[in-house]
Structures are given as C-alpha cells and as structure tokens.
C-alpha cells in the first residue's frame, strides 16, 4: 500500500481523498493554490505545498509545480480527483516519469479511451448497442449531409477527443449542417486541441444512466449498480440517484451485464463509469466510459455501503479486488443534489459565507469543504457541496431530501438550493416524468 | 494622538468581553472593535499587525517571494559566490537567486531596484509558491 | 478621556448581562458593546434604525414585556373598562393587564411608576414570553 | 396521523423531532426559551412559541407554559425528546387533560415502570435474570447489613424511583453501610422526591448492553438489535456502538429474546430500551427499561436503516407496526461519540463557537444544532453534537471515527473531542479491553 498520497485537487474532492487516506492509514500531502491556503483540506492534510497562485493554469493544472511538490515530499502516489488533470494522459506520464503511481487507469488505456469514436467502433463489433452514426471522423459538411440523410434527422455532431458537453451541436434540418459542422469543429479544437468530430442520430428525450465499475489488474470486474443522471442542465449533471427510476428489473440486469462486458472487452482497470443513454422505447446505447472518480460517486456509496474512494486507492496500489459481485447489494435508495454557488439564473455567485448550517440527521451525508466565514472564490468550479440522502424507498428519500434542503442555511452567497427545492418537490420529479432536457426546457 | 491612551483601551478590551468601543468628545472620536475581522474591521487589522512587534525599518521592507515551488540556491553553482549578499544594492533585472524546479534552473530577477536587507531562506532549502526569499528596501 | 470611568463601565458590563451601553451628554458620547462580534458590521445599524422613524421621545421609552405565554386582556372582564389607557399615569404595583394562561388569570403589575404611552397588543391577542405589551415612560 | 406536533425540547433532539415530522409531512411548533430564540430548531420549525426565560424550570420544565403553547397553536401531539419532561407522568397527564397525545408510552405504564423494584420483582418471577438483591425497599441500615451478609459484598444501594446514576452508593465493607444507606436515601429524596432505596450485589467489571424495542398498541413487539454503552464516565454514557463487541452470537440471541419477552410481559408500547448488565462471566441481568427516545438512538438507525424517531411518532399515533422482525437486519457496524462542550477535566465550557467544521463524507452522520457563530449557553446540558459513524466492520468504523474526530474543528469553546481521540485510538478500546469503570479509573 502507498505510504504517502499527494492530492492534486481542491475543495470537497480533495477532502474526500484525504478522508479515504486517513482511514487507510496513508499520509497525505496537498498541493494547493495560494487562494486555498485557509481551506479545510489544507488544514487537515498531514503535509501541504503551495504550488502557485489562484488561477488554475498556474496551480492545479501546473504539472511541473505538482511534480516538484511530489519530489519535495516523497509522495509515492498522486490522486487527481475529478476535473483538472484527472483525465490527462500527459500528467499520468509525468507521474510515471517520477516513478509514482497515478491513481487511475493505465496510460495506454486512458489514451485509447479518449478516442471515443474508436471505442464505439470496437464495442459495436462486440454487439454492444451504440447509437447509429458516422463510421469515422466526418471530413466535410458534404459528407455530413450524406450521413445525415442516411441515419435521419435530428443528428448530433460530437468531438472525438473530450467530452463534458463541449463540441456538441444538434442539427434538425439540412440547411443548418454547414454552420453546425464548423462550429462543432472549432469548439472541439479550442477545448481539446483536436477539431475532429463525428456524427450520431440525436435522441430527443433520452434518460442518462451510468454504471459504476470496479476492476483490478487481475481481470476481476464487478459493478456497483447504476446511477441515474437524467436531471441535467446544459449537459451538466445536477441531481443523481440510484437505483434509476426508469429501469425495469429486466432492463437493469441487461445494462449492468453490458457494462461489465464492456469493461472486460476494454481490459478496464481501476474505478470507471460506463455511460448509457436510454431512448423513448427504453433501448439503451453505450456513450462513453469515464476513467476518473465521479462527482456523484457518493450516491453509490450510500446505496451499497462500499467506499469507492478507498477501493480506488487499493486498486491503484495493485491490490486484488476483495469484493464479490454477489456480496454487492442495494441496501438503500439514494440521491444527490449538487449545491452550487450560483444565483437563480445559474450564474456563479462567489463571496463570503456568513452563516452556515449544514443538514444532518438520519440518512444525510454532506460532502463539502465550506464553513461559516469561508470565502467562495470565483477562480474555480461553483460546486460548494454535495448533499446526499438515502432512504428505504424512493419516496422516503425524496421526503428526506426535501427536509434536508429546507434546513440547509447558506447566507452571504446565493446557491441553487431554492432551485432544488422546486425540482425535488415537483410532481414531475416525483412521478418520474422528465428526461435530460427537462431543466433546459422548463427553467 | 495619545498612543498610551489607545494602548490602555486596547488592553482593557483585551481582558474583558467588550467587543466594541466608541467614544466621542468634541473633536475627538475613537472607535475600537474586537474579534471576527471578516467584516469591516479587517480594515485596520493588517496595519495593526505591522505595528506591533516590528521596528520602523522593518515596516518599510518589502518581501520578495518565491514565484514557484522548488529548491532555493543562492549561487549559480556549488562553490561559486552568491548572487547577492545582505546589504548589497541591486538593479531591476539583476539575478537574486535560482529556484530549481523539475531539474530546470529558474533565475529569479529583481523586479525593482533595492537593497537586499535579509536573506530569509537557507541555501538548498525547499520553498513553496509564496515563500518569502528576501526582505528588501526599495531604492 | 477619563480612563477610570471607562474601566468602571467595562467592569459593570462584565459582571452584568448588559451587552450594550450608550451615553451622550453634551459633546461627550460613549458607546460600548459586549459579545457577539459577528453582528459588528451592524456597527452603525442599530443606531440608524433607532434614528430613522423614531422620535426622540420614543427612544426614551421602556418596553413592558409579557412574563409568560398566554392571552392578553386589557380589562378584568368583558365589557369592563381597561385597566389602563394610553397616556395614563400608573404607580408601581398598579395592575396593567391580565395574561390568561391555562385558565388562570395573572394580573400583570407595573414594576415602576410610569406613563403608559402605547398599548402594543390587541385585547384577547395571544402573547409569548417576551412579547412587548406596553411602551411606557418612567416617571 | 398527527397534523401538528409541539416539540417540548431544545438543541439537537428538538431538531431531530422536527426532521422526522417534516419527513412525515407533519407541521411542527417549537416551545422554546428566550435563550434559544436564535437556535436552528426555532429557525426551521413551522411555528414557534417562546415559553419562558433561560432557566429550565421556567421554560423547558414549565408544564403550564408548555400547555398554554399547545392550546395557542392547536397542536395535537407533544414530543418531549429526552431529559426535561420526557419521563414525567405528570406531564403526560397534562397532555391527556389537554386532549393531545404525549409521544411516549401510556401514563399507567410510565408510572408502573418508574418503580424499578416492583418491575424487577415481576420479571424475576417470569425467570428473567435479575441481579441478586433485596426483595423490597430497604428500611434500615440494620436490614441492609443482614441482606449484604446474605448476598455478599460489594453491594449497591439504588433509588427505587429514578435513575441516571443519582442515589447510587457502592459499599465494600460492613462498616460503611450506615453512611452509604443514609447518603443514598438523601440523594434519592433530593433527586426524585422519594427516599426509597433497594440493594443489589455490585458487579465489579460490568459491560452495559441495551436493546432497542419497538412496540405498537396491538401487541406487536420487535427489537432493533442491541447497543453497547459500556464506555461511561460516572454512569453517564459517552460512546455507544452496535453490535456490541462483547456478545457472542449465542449470547446476543438470548439477550434480544429476553428483551422482547420483557416488553411483552410488561405490555410495553411505543419505543423503549431494555438495559442489561453483563458480568465478568458473560451472564446478563435486567436493570431497567427506559420509556423515552434515547440520546444514542442514531447508532441503531445507522446499523439498521430504520428511522426510530419516525416509527415512534407513527406508533404514538396508533399506527400498527409495519416492520417485521425478519426484515430487520444489521447492515453496518456503528458507533457514536457524545461531543460535549467541556474541558479536559470534564467541566462545562460554554461560550461562543467561532470557527466550526463538522465532519462529513461516507458513513458519517452528525446530529447537532450548533453553527459557526452560535453561543453554547451554560443553562443546559453540555451535549452539543452527536458524531455517529458506520462501517462494514468494527475496524473500518473505528478508523472512520478517528478520521472524523480529526476533521472536527470547534474553535472558541473546549470540547471532549481530544478525549475521544485518545479513547478511540487506544489499544484497549480497539482490543475490547474495558468495562463501565474504565474511564473513571484511567482518566
């Protein structure tokens, strides 16, 4: 097992890594920006190294500074959290050169999986359902038109390299193909450094379901059931729950089996998330596989009682998976709201938190690094807390989420707590009457 | 200003639970507040910190901080004389030291003309972003 | 400034539950506050609140509060004249109203001689511990 | 079901009641003292009534004021929490006279159970193991000496009415009987209004185990397994865990069966806790039954996933128990530390909490009403938070408790967090090498 893990992240996920390390008796070093010098992760980490000023590119994205911090502190592993350098094969390469473990999948695997089109082709050959689309990179607007005529409108342009909603363009009529094609290419180029895009048929009212995978270096693969991430705003997840309210028992089994099969085909290792779309008829299609710990991993932890972060660290250290599939069971229904520092128009609202009361009591978990008197800076993501609750049924879970949102007091900055109160108490949410476009169309 | 009086008032507040004091008599107006600098009292706090326990000269000194995490070296190579000594005057652009980060030697230059009053870090010591390397006096 | 006086005032506040003290006499103005510094951005707020919308006289008024939870009655029985009217002078010990709690009629007496300036609660209204019943001016 | 519950308590337990009511869609009224006017329970309750000044006897123990608040707000039930009026049959009588439900057992049952000696005699007849002792109230020091000779030293004087460690006296030699007898009587008289004491053989190194019971008005009784409360200081519980580390599977079954049998014999209803002592040989003896929700109920909630507070309210409303014994299972190991505002010498340390960071992350629950900037007053109990964690094993749970204590930041007042860090990380705790006297003898 590792002796000392360097945490190359901030906020709640840095704290989450430190918590797991403490429970595993591993020392921690946090590499932090000057802006975060008074943060809780910096305060409770065993060691700390200030790696740069506020702006991410000079600190949390600064590979040389992080590498130097690794050398200074003799850490033997690096945890990248999510975002920042977590899916960057170059950074994994820096770690390899320093002879320390990058906590994530192997570099070749990361590189291979970042080519979404290639992965899709390979899985299609193995009879995994994928969305109808172009067979490769779309080279011209003319070619795009041809393909669109074949697969039928509406169609979607997607970046081959990267994700997170950037490089996406929906086209409903042939006349819009040309503009959309060049806009998608430009956005992909700016965001991921490569302009390549491919095409898929666009599903109008999809649900978004993902399966949590654990895999060791010895070929053992298990799933920890699914998470439903259908409630999104502009392709950003807002609320996740497990089990998915949209799956029949039969469909659930199919999708879980498919996810494990995909992980095996790709020789996947470490923790990963296999993402699927469900169409209006309940058919599911593979979208992509994420190689990092996900923001929403606590939903699965609350359902199953398995500590995914600790498992990830153990797997990265080369340990054999010591959980059998048959021992993994869904003990509870669980749900997460991503609490962001933003106003009613979803615009970031940094500032100083004056009064704070964090929900507690039965079935409530809050992952956060904020405290009364702390400042929420404009430099980073606006996620300030994850409110996760569990109950014995979906109804109990929703009731608990409502009361937890009610007692969550954050004064001094604006948050999306009022927005979540509306969503969670709405009939459409309670009656499972929504898809991934629900928020964009109604709020 | 009667600094002794102020000192006494501060001492009184220190040892009591009084958190705010305001006094006005004719033209004289004094206001003191204690605790929780987060709000508006921040205003005077850094100033007070500077005044307590620092000499006049120190108050005028400027901290030259490390712009990166790495290892601090005073001279270009082992055995060579240091770039700067305490008391030495430097021009803008003069090299003050080297910070080695990831095998790269980064020369740290003076951003303004000054006299180096104090070297704050030992040779070959590890420094972080923001570690104070030198105290200097602008010239 | 009379520092001995200030010291005495602070000592007085220390040993009492008084959390705020303000004093003005001609040019002299003294203000002291104890505890809860977080509200301190409020610094000028209470003063402002007092000053806006309140007359000089109101600022001198004393609140007579309910010592219990119950129902407020101005008169001993329905139809009977009220114990006190606005503008009326009362002696210490005079009954001001009744608070009914659990069917028991509790007569509330004046704790000091005063003029009842304002009745703050309607007849038969429910009151809590601490609800202001009357504004009065000490005599 | 009730429409509006009046909460006749404060702090974390008032918040706990409000949380349960919110989840059950019941409105709440909080009856609070002026001192607590800015507290979280007052802030989040639907309605509030200030019933008196700071001192408990004029507010939280003021039955007339609480009754008036019930009338003013048309509440149809009163939840007394724990402490204060929760075990006071007179207050239950006031509620009956107001025609509102006192959330707890029936008045005759409360009255009957407060006579611990009578209960003991009845259970002894039903072959429930009880500790060897006097057959009734001890009338004189002379009688006490005779009994002591029969049952053997050391012996214990106990108050017939009441509990909580008051009225207790241990006697090791005959020469001390007279003083102890009169001191125990005097303490019992002052604490409970009645001087009656009885005698028992004193167990030198006992463990303390209690069983959580749920019972409805239709004769259905189930247990939610046991809690171990062996870690005490001067008969005050400090740390509770479940399952008990001191029970074999066989002994566990015996003690759980005994608890259910006791509840049936006594026609018990509502939630209750049956307390046992274990002697050095592992034999267990009934001590008493508590008729309130216990401080440590979250330990069982974390283990089983059952919301005891919600069940209590439903049972008080006359609902039938809808949980079968076979569906109750221990999903996790769980542990609670009672965080008190007190210094290293266990002396209360009231004051203003400046900075506060409350632990979070997987498997951590905190029940508290404190927040950064709030004041902890000297008027009430020094319990400011309950830190409860769960894990898949006792080891994981202890590791998690250690890291949660590590990240718990309370500045401005002193707490017993450093004390718990010492206890939880000690070999004796980890190796289960302690009894109820461990703290008193070693700290």
């Amino acid at each position: 097992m590792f002796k000392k893990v360097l945490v190359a992240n901030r906020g709640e996920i840095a704290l989450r890594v430190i918590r797991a390390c403490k429970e595993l008796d591993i020392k921690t070093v946090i590499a932090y920006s000057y802006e975060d010098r008074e943060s809780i992760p910096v305060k409770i980490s065993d060691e700390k190294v200030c790696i740069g000023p506020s702006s991410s590119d000079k600190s949390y994205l600064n590979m040389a500074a992080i590498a130097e911090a690794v050398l200074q502190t003799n850490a033997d592993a690096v945890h990248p959290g999510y975002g920042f350098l977590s899916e960057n094969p170059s950074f994994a390469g820096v770690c390899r050169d320093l002879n320390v473990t990058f906590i994530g999948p192997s570099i070749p695997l990361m590189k291979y999986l970042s080519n979404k089109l290639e992965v899709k082709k390979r899985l299609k050959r193995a009879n995994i359902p994928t969305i109808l689309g172009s067979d490769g990179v779309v080279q011209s607007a003319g070619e795009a038109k041809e393909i669109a005529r074949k697969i039928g409108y509406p169609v979607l342009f997607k970046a081959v390299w990267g994700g997170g909603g950037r490089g996406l363009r929906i086209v409903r009529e042939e006349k819009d193909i040309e503009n959309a094609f060049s806009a998608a290419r430009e956005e992909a180029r700016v965001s991921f450094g490569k302009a390549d895009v491919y095409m898929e048929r666009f599903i109008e009212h999809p649900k978004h379901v993902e399966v949590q995978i654990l895999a060791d270096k010895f070929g053992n693969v298990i799933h920890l059931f699914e998470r439903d991430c259908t409630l999104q705003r502009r392709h950003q997840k807002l609320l996740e729950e497990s089990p998915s309210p949209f799956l029949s028992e039969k469909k659930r089994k199919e999708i879980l089996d498919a996810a494990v099969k995909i992980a095996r085909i790709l020789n996947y290792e470490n923790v990963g998330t296999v993402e699927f779309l469900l169409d209006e008829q309940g058919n599911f299609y593979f979208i992509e596989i994420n190689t990092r710990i996900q923001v929403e991993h606590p939903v699965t932890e609350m359902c199953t009682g398995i500590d995914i972060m600790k498992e990830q660290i153990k797997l990265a250290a080369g340990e054999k998976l010591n959980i059998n599939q048959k021992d993994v069971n869904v003990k509870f229904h669980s749900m997460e709201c991503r609490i962001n520092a933003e106003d009613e128009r979803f615009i970031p609202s940094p500032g100083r938190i004056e009064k704070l009361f964090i929900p507690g009591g039965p079935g409530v978990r809050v992952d956060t690094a904020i405290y009364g008197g702390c400042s929420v800076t404009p430099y980073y993501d606006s996620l300030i807390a994850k409110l996760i609750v569990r109950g014995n049924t979906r109804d109990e879970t929703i009731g608990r989420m409502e009361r937890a949102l009610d007692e969550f007091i954050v004064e001094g900055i604006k948050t999306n707590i009022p927005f979540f109160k509306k969503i969670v108490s709405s009939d459409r949410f309670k009656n499972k009457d929504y898809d991934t476009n629900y928020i964009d169309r109604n709020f | 200003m009667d600094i002794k009086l102020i000192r006494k008032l501060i001492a009184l507040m220190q040892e009591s639970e009084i958190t705010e004091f305001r006094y006005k008599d004719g033209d004289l107006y004094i206001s003191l507040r204690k605790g929780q600098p987060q709000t508006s009292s921040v205003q005077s706090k850094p100033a007070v910190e500077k005044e307590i326990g620092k000499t006049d000269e120190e108050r005028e000194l400027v901290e030259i901080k490390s712009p990166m995490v790495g290892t601090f070296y005073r001279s270009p190579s082992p055995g060579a004389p240091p770039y700067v000594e305490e008391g030495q005057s430097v021009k803008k652009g003069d090299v003050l030291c080297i910070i080695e980060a990831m095998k790269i030697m980064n020369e740290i230059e003076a951003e303004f003309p000054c006299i180096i009053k104090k070297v704050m870090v030992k040779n070959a010591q590890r420094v972080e972003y923001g570690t104070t390397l030198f105290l200097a006096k602008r010239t």
Side-chain angles (χ1 to χ4, degrees), chain A residues 348-377:
Chain A
S349 161
R352 200 180 116 85
I353 294 177
E354 298 295 342
K355 186 172 173 182
L356 177 69
F357 186 77
I358 289 177
V364 173
R365 164 179 171 183
V366 181
D367 276 28
T368 187
I370 60 172
Y371 54 90
C374 80
S375 287
V376 177
T377 80

Side-chain angles (χ1 to χ4, degrees), chain A residues 129-146:
Chain A
T130 56
I131 299 173
L132 206 60
S134 62
D135 288 328
V137 174
V138 179
Q139 303 293 355
S140 68
E143 188 191 340
K145 284 181 192 168
E146 245 174 71

Side-chain angles (χ1 to χ4, degrees), chain A residues 102-243:
Chain A
F102 172 87
I103 297 178
S106 69
I107 298 172
L109 190 60
M110 279 174 82
K111 282 188 179 153
Y112 178 76
L113 294 176
S114 65
N115 185 340
K116 291 191 289 182
L117 188 55
E118 172 58 30
V119 172
K120 185 180 169 187
K121 277 155 80 176
R122 174 142 160 215
L123 293 176
K124 197 175 166 186
R125 285 199 302 275
N127 292 321
I128 300 291
T130 56
I131 299 173
L132 206 60
S134 62
D135 288 328
V137 174
V138 179
Q139 303 293 355
S140 68
E143 188 191 340
K145 284 181 192 168
E146 245 174 71
I147 297 166
R149 267 177 231 142
K150 226 186 304 171
I151 64 177
Y153 285 94
V155 296
L156 192 65
F157 286 109
K158 287 175 90 171
V160 173
W161 311 90
R166 281 163 303 178
L168 282 184
R169 281 294 180 285
I170 300 161
V171 190
R172 298 182 180 279
E173 291 178 76
E174 189 168 296
K175 72 173 174 58
D176 299 327
I177 281 273
E178 276 182 51
N179 281 343
F181 177 69
S182 44
R185 280 180 59 83
E186 180 55 19
E187 202 169 299
R189 197 186 57 73
V190 169
S191 302
F192 315 113
K194 294 182 187 179
D196 297 347
V197 297
Y198 64 106
M199 275 171 79
E200 275 178 358
R201 196 181 151 79
F202 177 67
I203 300 171
E204 287 277 4
H205 299 288
K207 325 283 194 212
H208 185 125
V209 175
E210 63 187 23
V211 178
Q212 178 69 54
I213 292 291
L214 298 187
D216 65 16
K217 295 179 194 297
F218 310 97
N220 300 302
V221 181
I222 62 170
H223 68 78
L224 305 185
F225 294 86
E226 81 282 7
R227 290 184 291 262
D228 192 286
C229 311
T230 298
L231 216 70
Q232 305 182 348
R233 180 178 173 272
R234 302 194 179 168
H235 303 285
Q236 301 293 317
K237 295 167 189 167
L238 279 175
L239 181 151
E240 302 94 351
E241 68 176 299
S242 182

Side-chain angles (χ1 to χ4, degrees), chain A residues 270-333:
Chain A
N270 204 259
V271 306
T273 305
V274 188
E275 300 204 322
F276 298 93
L277 278 192
L278 299 185
D279 69 13
E280 295 80 347
Q281 288 72 45
N283 303 308
F284 64 86
Y285 307 95
F286 169 82
I287 324 173
E288 63 178 338
I289 181 160
N290 288 315
T291 60
R292 60 178 185 275
I293 189 100
Q294 302 271 98
V295 175
E296 61 272 25
H297 76 277
V299 172
T300 301
E301 293 184 329
M302 288 285 265
C303 281
T304 62
I306 293 169
D307 188 321
I308 299 174
M309 184 66 84
K310 287 203 282 199
E311 292 305 321
Q312 183 188 27
I313 294 167
K314 289 193 284 183
L315 291 171
E319 288 194 9
K320 211 172 150 182
L321 193 58
N322 67 351
I323 306 168
N324 293 313
Q325 187 66 68
K326 68 171 172 45
D327 297 326
V328 181
N329 44 67
V330 175
K331 295 177 161 133
F332 298 105
H333 196 96

Side-chain angles (χ1 to χ4, degrees), chain A residues 32 34 48-53 64-65 67-68 71-73 98 352, chain B residues 38-39 65 67-71 100-103 126-130:
Chain A
Y32 66 100
Y34 189 70
K48 59 200 176 85
V49 180
C50 184
I51 51 168
E68 181 64 25
L71 286 181
Q72 282 203 1
T73 57
L98 293 170
R352 200 180 116 85
Chain B
Q38 76 268 35
T39 36
K65 296 182 172 185
M68 65 186 73
V69 58
T71 306
E100 178 192 349
M102 296 311 294
K103 313 261 153 71
R126 287 173 166 180
V127 295
E128 297 173 86
Y129 172 84

